[in-house]
Amino acid sequence: MREVAFGQYYPAKSFVHKCDPRMKILFLIVYIVAVFLSKNFYALGACAFVFVLVAAFSGVPFRSLLRSVKAVLFLLIFMTVLNLFFYSGETVLWEWKFIEITKEALYHTAFLAARLFLLVLGSSLLTLTTTPVSLADGIESLLTPLKWIRFPVHELALIMSIALRFIPILTDETGRIMNAQKARGADFETGGLIKRVKAVIPILIPLLISAFRRSEELGDAMDARCYAGSKVRTKYKKLTFTWRDLIATLVVGGLLAGVILLRTYTLSLV
Amino acid sequence: MEAIKFEQVRFSYESDERKDANQDVFGLDKVDYALDGVDFVVQEGEFVAVLGHNGSGKSTLARLTNGLLTPSSGNITVLGLDATDEKYLFEIRKQVGIVFQNPDNQTVASIVEDDIAFGPENVGIPRDEIGKRIDFALNAVGMQEFRHATPSRLSGGQKQRVAIAGVLALKPKVMILDEATAMLDPRGRKEVIDVVLKLNKEENITVILITHFPEEAMLADRAVVMSEGKIVLQGAPQEILSKGDELKKFSLTSPKPIRICRELTEKGLTVADGMDAESVAENIRAALNERGIVTAQAAESEEPSKEVEATDGKGGVVCENLTYVYNAKSPFATYALNGVDLQIHAGDFFGIIGHTGSGKSTFVQHLNALLKVPTAEKKYKPKKPKKGKPQPPKTALTVDGYDLTDKTTDFRELRSKVGMVFQYPEYQLFAETVLEDVAFGLKNFRKDVTDEEVQTAVREALETVGLDYEEIKDKSPFDLSGGQKRRVAIAGVIVTKPEILVLDEPAAGLDPLGKEEIMSLLHKIRSEWCKTVVIVSHDMDEIAENCNRAAIFADGKVLRTDTPKRLFADVDRMLDAGLDVPFTAKVCKALKEKGLEISCDFTTQDLIEKTYALAQTKGGQKNA
């Protein structure tokens, strides 16, 4: 259950789940660029269409998608309200003392909200359909060109992988230590800031010590299994480009073309 | 051919400067050697068990073998290669795999197959071949179906099998298991040992099994006993492990089967050494037959029913229909407890048995309100009963006289009365000194406590757990030995003088002698300090030897609550439920099948006494 909660991955075997993570990451980048390039609702509509299309093939229920929006709902409302009141326009619709709402502000705010909405939905679709592990693999693979400038891509990837591996273990451990100290009368819920910070010490110290002990043992175990950096290393899991990714590429290309087309189209109208 | 050869190997963890400083004027060194002149040879294909208490140097031996450490002096040859020469390091590590103690700390990836691929990837094996090696390794440890699983969801035994597979994927000729079974429950231990035996027999892998369980050493071709950095005994396991007195000198014990046979022999009934329940039973039968005792029937003895019922409920637990749901109101809702009924009496040494996920940990956490009954939550508002709808059965939970279903109960006071020691309690120590750490709970519960009161209470608590207050109070808890740390942690819980002490797997990870010491400590605590002790355990022998009553948890319910004598009498029923029984119960069952019924309470002591008593009878007609 803890894994489900972590990284909000939604386990399924859909078309989108099976796509190459590199593809999905690139797709997300292009999608974000497209959303930002969109200057009107037509272009945004095109983005939304592509999103709905992908979401439909992802097997992720609509409710799970919406839940991810919930996390940024406050930000969304805050920005909307701010924009609504302070965007200066000409056609005043409603006015009270120094606050006024203009037609332009309404339009602009709706546009901004829609754009933000699409961005959040798009990114969460990536994390919902890709396990943290393959996401890390994808990032490593995409960063490979950086090896030319001696950037330690492989080491970075290994660090990411080990960190992901130890999250559930350390979460469990934190829970256990907290319970043990609670049983000894520790109180984490009441008191002022300083008292609460102090109350964390009996959790933090054992946790840190255990993390060091674990890392030492892990280091030995890695040494014993012949780990010696990236020099001779091969990789078992190669990300492979499949027909799925070809289709995805076409969609990405189509999206970009559509957005640019719609952009120039509306520009020529003006 | 020799797989491993140590010649006069010495090793010290002390740095070179320390060594110089420790040389006295005569140039004689007083360095602490973890290994002190070890000669040790392992033949290819051999299965060697290395026994020794903590700090005897057995783990150092493992680390020297594959170059994780380099010797201070002496020669080590591994498969014909000089292990002290750095240029062979990689080659030797390919040939000698090590599986370590903690199943969680040797896995690098979040998916089983990725983790197994780690070793082959490191040495640059091509992709297709890695795939084949993963198949081979998973097959060898019987974990094929878990290829795409997440290690953190596996049981301890499964995790260690994955670790073995990770080593196997490098196709080593030698495999060292460095206390790889120490942190596992009996079931996990068996899983791992079975795999190791199979690898030795079928794949002809040389195995060095470092362990502190003499039962495991019995399976080896040769047993080696280490003490103080030296090899002190070696030979055939049966021969070595039957030397009870000599083993005791090195803080080791004989395995239970041998111990039973030996003690009977000492009493006067000569029984040949048995290796397992079946052979022990057979040897006892042979010994009894010689005395003309062929059959025996256990007299139906009425057990003295001593229902200790404290009138005020102090020291006891009454639990009725306790239910607990994780992730309530979500699609992942699971019933951890589903109507638990249980009574623990004041004065009990109570055992809670059950598999992981049976609900025993969830139940135990209710006892001091780390988990609360819904009606005890602050936010709880009683609902008006709806007409026509049947009322759900009422939950009752009273611990040490406190009503845990009532939200007005003083839960802090309750926690000071119900002490809770979690698994591996030494990992909760945090303070700068032992004194401060032990006093932590006391200061939390009693804000007005004076320094003198604290010192007196800490002194009493430390002395109860068998530590010297003056010697230890100002030490850092992190400088203590493993056993001392655990004692300090227990002192930190009993310092508030709880009426009930609950311990989750108090003996986990300890060697047999350490286990015995902790258990006798708990008996002492129960007689002098707390009214009631409750232990959660996987180990049926531990339950049989120590508890007067026990409850079996399964699927969030209590299957049975009874005395160990009655619980373990029906061996088949326990095994059917997927639970183990104590060794003594297996012996009794085997004896019964041979027509010799012995009624004992399944402690080793009682089995020996009753068997001996039977041997004293004429013709075996009467039996105690």
Side-chain angles (χ1 to χ4, degrees), chain A residues 122-152:
Chain A
S123 343
S124 43
L125 195 58
L126 176 71
T127 49
L128 280 164
T129 58
T130 320
T131 59
V133 180
S134 52
L135 209 56
D137 280 347
I139 293 172
E140 180 190 7
S141 176
L142 288 172
L143 290 178
T144 311
L146 290 180
K147 275 184 186 161
W148 285 94
I149 57 163
R150 304 227 171 145
F151 185 80

PDB file of all heavy atoms in Angstrom, chain A residues 122-152:
ATOM      1  N   GLY A 122      -0.927  17.068 -17.292  1.00  0.00           N
ATOM      2  CA  GLY A 122       0.062  16.414 -18.143  1.00  0.00           C
ATOM      3  C   GLY A 122       1.174  15.793 -17.332  1.00  0.00           C
ATOM      4  O   GLY A 122       1.507  14.612 -17.514  1.00  0.00           O
ATOM      5  N   SER A 123       1.729  16.568 -16.390  1.00  0.00           N
ATOM      6  CA  SER A 123       2.845  16.024 -15.613  1.00  0.00           C
ATOM      7  C   SER A 123       2.404  14.869 -14.737  1.00  0.00           C
ATOM      8  O   SER A 123       3.132  13.893 -14.574  1.00  0.00           O
ATOM      9  CB  SER A 123       3.503  17.084 -14.726  1.00  0.00           C
ATOM     10  OG  SER A 123       3.150  18.355 -15.136  1.00  0.00           O
ATOM     11  N   SER A 124       1.201  14.974 -14.165  1.00  0.00           N
ATOM     12  CA  SER A 124       0.801  13.862 -13.302  1.00  0.00           C
ATOM     13  C   SER A 124       0.491  12.622 -14.124  1.00  0.00           C
ATOM     14  O   SER A 124       0.649  11.510 -13.630  1.00  0.00           O
ATOM     15  CB  SER A 124      -0.375  14.234 -12.404  1.00  0.00           C
ATOM     16  OG  SER A 124      -1.327  14.939 -13.110  1.00  0.00           O
ATOM     17  N   LEU A 125       0.118  12.806 -15.372  1.00  0.00           N
ATOM     18  CA  LEU A 125      -0.107  11.624 -16.212  1.00  0.00           C
ATOM     19  C   LEU A 125       1.206  10.857 -16.379  1.00  0.00           C
ATOM     20  O   LEU A 125       1.223   9.622 -16.400  1.00  0.00           O
ATOM     21  CB  LEU A 125      -0.654  12.044 -17.580  1.00  0.00           C
ATOM     22  CG  LEU A 125      -1.263  10.898 -18.397  1.00  0.00           C
ATOM     23  CD1 LEU A 125      -2.402  10.227 -17.639  1.00  0.00           C
ATOM     24  CD2 LEU A 125      -1.759  11.394 -19.746  1.00  0.00           C
ATOM     25  N   LEU A 126       2.298  11.571 -16.445  1.00  0.00           N
ATOM     26  CA  LEU A 126       3.609  10.908 -16.557  1.00  0.00           C
ATOM     27  C   LEU A 126       3.898  10.105 -15.302  1.00  0.00           C
ATOM     28  O   LEU A 126       4.229   8.918 -15.363  1.00  0.00           O
ATOM     29  CB  LEU A 126       4.721  11.937 -16.779  1.00  0.00           C
ATOM     30  CG  LEU A 126       6.133  11.348 -16.801  1.00  0.00           C
ATOM     31  CD1 LEU A 126       6.378  10.541 -18.063  1.00  0.00           C
ATOM     32  CD2 LEU A 126       7.188  12.428 -16.659  1.00  0.00           C
ATOM     33  N   THR A 127       3.761  10.732 -14.122  1.00  0.00           N
ATOM     34  CA  THR A 127       4.103  10.008 -12.891  1.00  0.00           C
ATOM     35  C   THR A 127       3.078   8.927 -12.571  1.00  0.00           C
ATOM     36  O   THR A 127       3.387   7.955 -11.908  1.00  0.00           O
ATOM     37  CB  THR A 127       4.210  10.965 -11.688  1.00  0.00           C
ATOM     38  OG1 THR A 127       3.057  11.796 -11.661  1.00  0.00           O
ATOM     39  CG2 THR A 127       5.435  11.839 -11.809  1.00  0.00           C
ATOM     40  N   LEU A 128       1.857   9.086 -13.069  1.00  0.00           N
ATOM     41  CA  LEU A 128       0.849   8.056 -12.824  1.00  0.00           C
ATOM     42  C   LEU A 128       1.107   6.805 -13.655  1.00  0.00           C
ATOM     43  O   LEU A 128       0.743   5.704 -13.263  1.00  0.00           O
ATOM     44  CB  LEU A 128      -0.555   8.598 -13.136  1.00  0.00           C
ATOM     45  CG  LEU A 128      -1.211   9.458 -12.062  1.00  0.00           C
ATOM     46  CD1 LEU A 128      -2.380  10.221 -12.635  1.00  0.00           C
ATOM     47  CD2 LEU A 128      -1.675   8.607 -10.896  1.00  0.00           C
ATOM     48  N   THR A 129       1.714   6.984 -14.827  1.00  0.00           N
ATOM     49  CA  THR A 129       1.877   5.839 -15.717  1.00  0.00           C
ATOM     50  C   THR A 129       3.307   5.301 -15.747  1.00  0.00           C
ATOM     51  O   THR A 129       3.580   4.333 -16.449  1.00  0.00           O
ATOM     52  CB  THR A 129       1.482   6.194 -17.160  1.00  0.00           C
ATOM     53  OG1 THR A 129       2.298   7.295 -17.587  1.00  0.00           O
ATOM     54  CG2 THR A 129       0.036   6.570 -17.278  1.00  0.00           C
ATOM     55  N   THR A 130       4.217   5.931 -15.016  1.00  0.00           N
ATOM     56  CA  THR A 130       5.609   5.498 -15.070  1.00  0.00           C
ATOM     57  C   THR A 130       6.106   5.227 -13.657  1.00  0.00           C
ATOM     58  O   THR A 130       5.962   6.085 -12.784  1.00  0.00           O
ATOM     59  CB  THR A 130       6.494   6.591 -15.695  1.00  0.00           C
ATOM     60  OG1 THR A 130       5.780   7.170 -16.782  1.00  0.00           O
ATOM     61  CG2 THR A 130       7.800   6.044 -16.184  1.00  0.00           C
ATOM     62  N   THR A 131       6.686   4.053 -13.415  1.00  0.00           N
ATOM     63  CA  THR A 131       7.215   3.771 -12.079  1.00  0.00           C
ATOM     64  C   THR A 131       8.418   4.668 -11.831  1.00  0.00           C
ATOM     65  O   THR A 131       9.118   5.042 -12.780  1.00  0.00           O
ATOM     66  CB  THR A 131       7.691   2.312 -11.952  1.00  0.00           C
ATOM     67  OG1 THR A 131       8.708   2.094 -12.925  1.00  0.00           O
ATOM     68  CG2 THR A 131       6.580   1.333 -12.156  1.00  0.00           C
ATOM     69  N   PRO A 132       8.670   5.017 -10.580  1.00  0.00           N
ATOM     70  CA  PRO A 132       9.835   5.845 -10.282  1.00  0.00           C
ATOM     71  C   PRO A 132      11.120   5.246 -10.856  1.00  0.00           C
ATOM     72  O   PRO A 132      12.008   5.966 -11.304  1.00  0.00           O
ATOM     73  CB  PRO A 132       9.885   5.852  -8.758  1.00  0.00           C
ATOM     74  CG  PRO A 132       8.492   5.598  -8.327  1.00  0.00           C
ATOM     75  CD  PRO A 132       7.887   4.732  -9.388  1.00  0.00           C
ATOM     76  N   VAL A 133      11.187   3.897 -10.845  1.00  0.00           N
ATOM     77  CA  VAL A 133      12.398   3.243 -11.337  1.00  0.00           C
ATOM     78  C   VAL A 133      12.610   3.518 -12.819  1.00  0.00           C
ATOM     79  O   VAL A 133      13.696   3.925 -13.244  1.00  0.00           O
ATOM     80  CB  VAL A 133      12.316   1.719 -11.107  1.00  0.00           C
ATOM     81  CG1 VAL A 133      13.565   1.049 -11.606  1.00  0.00           C
ATOM     82  CG2 VAL A 133      12.091   1.431  -9.638  1.00  0.00           C
ATOM     83  N   SER A 134      11.569   3.323 -13.629  1.00  0.00           N
ATOM     84  CA  SER A 134      11.788   3.529 -15.057  1.00  0.00           C
ATOM     85  C   SER A 134      11.905   5.015 -15.367  1.00  0.00           C
ATOM     86  O   SER A 134      12.551   5.399 -16.346  1.00  0.00           O
ATOM     87  CB  SER A 134      10.704   2.859 -15.912  1.00  0.00           C
ATOM     88  OG  SER A 134       9.435   3.224 -15.493  1.00  0.00           O
ATOM     89  N   LEU A 135      11.328   5.846 -14.516  1.00  0.00           N
ATOM     90  CA  LEU A 135      11.516   7.284 -14.684  1.00  0.00           C
ATOM     91  C   LEU A 135      13.000   7.625 -14.511  1.00  0.00           C
ATOM     92  O   LEU A 135      13.588   8.374 -15.312  1.00  0.00           O
ATOM     93  CB  LEU A 135      10.685   8.018 -13.625  1.00  0.00           C
ATOM     94  CG  LEU A 135      10.173   9.409 -13.984  1.00  0.00           C
ATOM     95  CD1 LEU A 135       9.361   9.399 -15.256  1.00  0.00           C
ATOM     96  CD2 LEU A 135       9.335   9.958 -12.840  1.00  0.00           C
ATOM     97  N   ALA A 136      13.596   7.019 -13.471  1.00  0.00           N
ATOM     98  CA  ALA A 136      15.028   7.242 -13.238  1.00  0.00           C
ATOM     99  C   ALA A 136      15.849   6.718 -14.412  1.00  0.00           C
ATOM    100  O   ALA A 136      16.794   7.367 -14.875  1.00  0.00           O
ATOM    101  CB  ALA A 136      15.459   6.566 -11.939  1.00  0.00           C
ATOM    102  N   ASP A 137      15.463   5.525 -14.918  1.00  0.00           N
ATOM    103  CA  ASP A 137      16.150   4.961 -16.092  1.00  0.00           C
ATOM    104  C   ASP A 137      16.076   5.920 -17.268  1.00  0.00           C
ATOM    105  O   ASP A 137      17.055   6.140 -17.979  1.00  0.00           O
ATOM    106  CB  ASP A 137      15.488   3.636 -16.504  1.00  0.00           C
ATOM    107  CG  ASP A 137      15.963   2.495 -15.635  1.00  0.00           C
ATOM    108  OD1 ASP A 137      16.959   2.698 -14.908  1.00  0.00           O
ATOM    109  OD2 ASP A 137      15.343   1.422 -15.691  1.00  0.00           O
ATOM    110  N   GLY A 138      14.870   6.449 -17.476  1.00  0.00           N
ATOM    111  CA  GLY A 138      14.654   7.362 -18.591  1.00  0.00           C
ATOM    112  C   GLY A 138      15.519   8.600 -18.470  1.00  0.00           C
ATOM    113  O   GLY A 138      16.166   9.020 -19.435  1.00  0.00           O
ATOM    114  N   ILE A 139      15.552   9.157 -17.269  1.00  0.00           N
ATOM    115  CA  ILE A 139      16.356  10.359 -17.059  1.00  0.00           C
ATOM    116  C   ILE A 139      17.822  10.055 -17.319  1.00  0.00           C
ATOM    117  O   ILE A 139      18.522  10.813 -18.001  1.00  0.00           O
ATOM    118  CB  ILE A 139      16.147  10.906 -15.620  1.00  0.00           C
ATOM    119  CG1 ILE A 139      14.703  11.407 -15.473  1.00  0.00           C
ATOM    120  CG2 ILE A 139      17.124  12.025 -15.315  1.00  0.00           C
ATOM    121  CD1 ILE A 139      14.306  11.787 -14.065  1.00  0.00           C
ATOM    122  N   GLU A 140      18.270   8.884 -16.808  1.00  0.00           N
ATOM    123  CA  GLU A 140      19.676   8.519 -17.026  1.00  0.00           C
ATOM    124  C   GLU A 140      19.992   8.454 -18.522  1.00  0.00           C
ATOM    125  O   GLU A 140      20.972   9.021 -19.001  1.00  0.00           O
ATOM    126  CB  GLU A 140      19.986   7.164 -16.392  1.00  0.00           C
ATOM    127  CG  GLU A 140      21.436   6.765 -16.617  1.00  0.00           C
ATOM    128  CD  GLU A 140      21.744   5.329 -16.227  1.00  0.00           C
ATOM    129  OE1 GLU A 140      20.812   4.576 -15.894  1.00  0.00           O
ATOM    130  OE2 GLU A 140      22.919   4.964 -16.271  1.00  0.00           O
ATOM    131  N   SER A 141      19.110   7.770 -19.241  1.00  0.00           N
ATOM    132  CA  SER A 141      19.349   7.596 -20.658  1.00  0.00           C
ATOM    133  C   SER A 141      19.364   8.937 -21.400  1.00  0.00           C
ATOM    134  O   SER A 141      20.184   9.172 -22.280  1.00  0.00           O
ATOM    135  CB  SER A 141      18.269   6.683 -21.228  1.00  0.00           C
ATOM    136  OG  SER A 141      18.410   6.575 -22.605  1.00  0.00           O
ATOM    137  N   LEU A 142      18.444   9.813 -21.007  1.00  0.00           N
ATOM    138  CA  LEU A 142      18.378  11.110 -21.683  1.00  0.00           C
ATOM    139  C   LEU A 142      19.585  11.974 -21.345  1.00  0.00           C
ATOM    140  O   LEU A 142      19.978  12.843 -22.122  1.00  0.00           O
ATOM    141  CB  LEU A 142      17.085  11.842 -21.297  1.00  0.00           C
ATOM    142  CG  LEU A 142      15.805  11.261 -21.898  1.00  0.00           C
ATOM    143  CD1 LEU A 142      14.583  11.944 -21.303  1.00  0.00           C
ATOM    144  CD2 LEU A 142      15.797  11.409 -23.409  1.00  0.00           C
ATOM    145  N   LEU A 143      20.149  11.739 -20.174  1.00  0.00           N
ATOM    146  CA  LEU A 143      21.296  12.550 -19.760  1.00  0.00           C
ATOM    147  C   LEU A 143      22.615  12.024 -20.327  1.00  0.00           C
ATOM    148  O   LEU A 143      23.649  12.659 -20.182  1.00  0.00           O
ATOM    149  CB  LEU A 143      21.391  12.610 -18.230  1.00  0.00           C
ATOM    150  CG  LEU A 143      20.319  13.423 -17.498  1.00  0.00           C
ATOM    151  CD1 LEU A 143      20.540  13.341 -16.008  1.00  0.00           C
ATOM    152  CD2 LEU A 143      20.328  14.877 -17.953  1.00  0.00           C
ATOM    153  N   THR A 144      22.566  10.832 -20.944  1.00  0.00           N
ATOM    154  CA  THR A 144      23.798  10.195 -21.420  1.00  0.00           C
ATOM    155  C   THR A 144      24.741  11.130 -22.185  1.00  0.00           C
ATOM    156  O   THR A 144      25.949  11.074 -21.979  1.00  0.00           O
ATOM    157  CB  THR A 144      23.464   8.955 -22.272  1.00  0.00           C
ATOM    158  OG1 THR A 144      22.539   8.181 -21.547  1.00  0.00           O
ATOM    159  CG2 THR A 144      24.697   8.133 -22.561  1.00  0.00           C
ATOM    160  N   PRO A 145      24.220  11.970 -23.074  1.00  0.00           N
ATOM    161  CA  PRO A 145      25.148  12.859 -23.796  1.00  0.00           C
ATOM    162  C   PRO A 145      26.034  13.687 -22.863  1.00  0.00           C
ATOM    163  O   PRO A 145      27.153  14.052 -23.235  1.00  0.00           O
ATOM    164  CB  PRO A 145      24.215  13.780 -24.585  1.00  0.00           C
ATOM    165  CG  PRO A 145      22.942  13.045 -24.706  1.00  0.00           C
ATOM    166  CD  PRO A 145      22.842  12.159 -23.517  1.00  0.00           C
ATOM    167  N   LEU A 146      25.568  13.917 -21.648  1.00  0.00           N
ATOM    168  CA  LEU A 146      26.352  14.713 -20.710  1.00  0.00           C
ATOM    169  C   LEU A 146      27.637  14.019 -20.280  1.00  0.00           C
ATOM    170  O   LEU A 146      28.511  14.634 -19.690  1.00  0.00           O
ATOM    171  CB  LEU A 146      25.517  15.055 -19.477  1.00  0.00           C
ATOM    172  CG  LEU A 146      24.375  16.042 -19.689  1.00  0.00           C
ATOM    173  CD1 LEU A 146      23.639  16.280 -18.387  1.00  0.00           C
ATOM    174  CD2 LEU A 146      24.904  17.355 -20.221  1.00  0.00           C
ATOM    175  N   LYS A 147      27.726  12.695 -20.554  1.00  0.00           N
ATOM    176  CA  LYS A 147      28.964  11.984 -20.233  1.00  0.00           C
ATOM    177  C   LYS A 147      30.146  12.627 -20.931  1.00  0.00           C
ATOM    178  O   LYS A 147      31.279  12.546 -20.475  1.00  0.00           O
ATOM    179  CB  LYS A 147      28.856  10.517 -20.657  1.00  0.00           C
ATOM    180  CG  LYS A 147      28.189   9.654 -19.616  1.00  0.00           C
ATOM    181  CD  LYS A 147      28.195   8.198 -20.028  1.00  0.00           C
ATOM    182  CE  LYS A 147      27.397   7.364 -19.030  1.00  0.00           C
ATOM    183  NZ  LYS A 147      26.999   6.085 -19.585  1.00  0.00           N
ATOM    184  N   TRP A 148      29.876  13.249 -22.074  1.00  0.00           N
ATOM    185  CA  TRP A 148      30.950  13.892 -22.841  1.00  0.00           C
ATOM    186  C   TRP A 148      31.628  14.994 -22.044  1.00  0.00           C
ATOM    187  O   TRP A 148      32.809  15.246 -22.208  1.00  0.00           O
ATOM    188  CB  TRP A 148      30.381  14.476 -24.141  1.00  0.00           C
ATOM    189  CG  TRP A 148      30.110  13.401 -25.127  1.00  0.00           C
ATOM    190  CD1 TRP A 148      28.946  12.744 -25.332  1.00  0.00           C
ATOM    191  CD2 TRP A 148      31.041  12.814 -26.031  1.00  0.00           C
ATOM    192  NE1 TRP A 148      29.069  11.791 -26.289  1.00  0.00           N
ATOM    193  CE2 TRP A 148      30.351  11.817 -26.741  1.00  0.00           C
ATOM    194  CE3 TRP A 148      32.409  13.038 -26.308  1.00  0.00           C
ATOM    195  CZ2 TRP A 148      30.974  11.034 -27.723  1.00  0.00           C
ATOM    196  CZ3 TRP A 148      33.014  12.261 -27.284  1.00  0.00           C
ATOM    197  CH2 TRP A 148      32.307  11.268 -27.979  1.00  0.00           C
ATOM    198  N   ILE A 149      30.839  15.659 -21.210  1.00  0.00           N
ATOM    199  CA  ILE A 149      31.478  16.695 -20.395  1.00  0.00           C
ATOM    200  C   ILE A 149      31.786  16.156 -18.990  1.00  0.00           C
ATOM    201  O   ILE A 149      31.835  16.878 -18.009  1.00  0.00           O
ATOM    202  CB  ILE A 149      30.605  17.974 -20.315  1.00  0.00           C
ATOM    203  CG1 ILE A 149      29.213  17.627 -19.752  1.00  0.00           C
ATOM    204  CG2 ILE A 149      30.484  18.639 -21.667  1.00  0.00           C
ATOM    205  CD1 ILE A 149      28.472  18.865 -19.271  1.00  0.00           C
ATOM    206  N   ARG A 150      31.972  14.820 -18.908  1.00  0.00           N
ATOM    207  CA  ARG A 150      32.371  14.132 -17.676  1.00  0.00           C
ATOM    208  C   ARG A 150      31.372  14.277 -16.544  1.00  0.00           C
ATOM    209  O   ARG A 150      31.725  14.203 -15.385  1.00  0.00           O
ATOM    210  CB  ARG A 150      33.744  14.637 -17.203  1.00  0.00           C
ATOM    211  CG  ARG A 150      34.800  14.484 -18.253  1.00  0.00           C
ATOM    212  CD  ARG A 150      36.009  13.884 -17.636  1.00  0.00           C
ATOM    213  NE  ARG A 150      36.951  13.527 -18.682  1.00  0.00           N
ATOM    214  CZ  ARG A 150      38.259  13.598 -18.555  1.00  0.00           C
ATOM    215  NH1 ARG A 150      38.760  14.034 -17.416  1.00  0.00           N
ATOM    216  NH2 ARG A 150      39.052  13.238 -19.528  1.00  0.00           N
ATOM    217  N   PHE A 151      30.138  14.486 -16.890  1.00  0.00           N
ATOM    218  CA  PHE A 151      29.100  14.513 -15.870  1.00  0.00           C
ATOM    219  C   PHE A 151      28.814  13.066 -15.459  1.00  0.00           C
ATOM    220  O   PHE A 151      28.611  12.211 -16.310  1.00  0.00           O
ATOM    221  CB  PHE A 151      27.843  15.169 -16.451  1.00  0.00           C
ATOM    222  CG  PHE A 151      26.750  15.350 -15.446  1.00  0.00           C
ATOM    223  CD1 PHE A 151      26.787  16.419 -14.563  1.00  0.00           C
ATOM    224  CD2 PHE A 151      25.674  14.471 -15.400  1.00  0.00           C
ATOM    225  CE1 PHE A 151      25.771  16.586 -13.637  1.00  0.00           C
ATOM    226  CE2 PHE A 151      24.671  14.632 -14.474  1.00  0.00           C
ATOM    227  CZ  PHE A 151      24.717  15.703 -13.596  1.00  0.00           C
ATOM    228  N   PRO A 152      28.853  12.751 -14.119  1.00  0.00           N
ATOM    229  CA  PRO A 152      28.704  11.349 -13.694  1.00  0.00           C
ATOM    230  C   PRO A 152      27.261  10.849 -13.816  1.00  0.00           C
ATOM    231  O   PRO A 152      26.564  10.655 -12.821  1.00  0.00           O
ATOM    232  CB  PRO A 152      29.179  11.365 -12.252  1.00  0.00           C
ATOM    233  CG  PRO A 152      28.938  12.755 -11.784  1.00  0.00           C
ATOM    234  CD  PRO A 152      29.051  13.655 -12.985  1.00  0.00           C
TER     235      PRO A 152
END
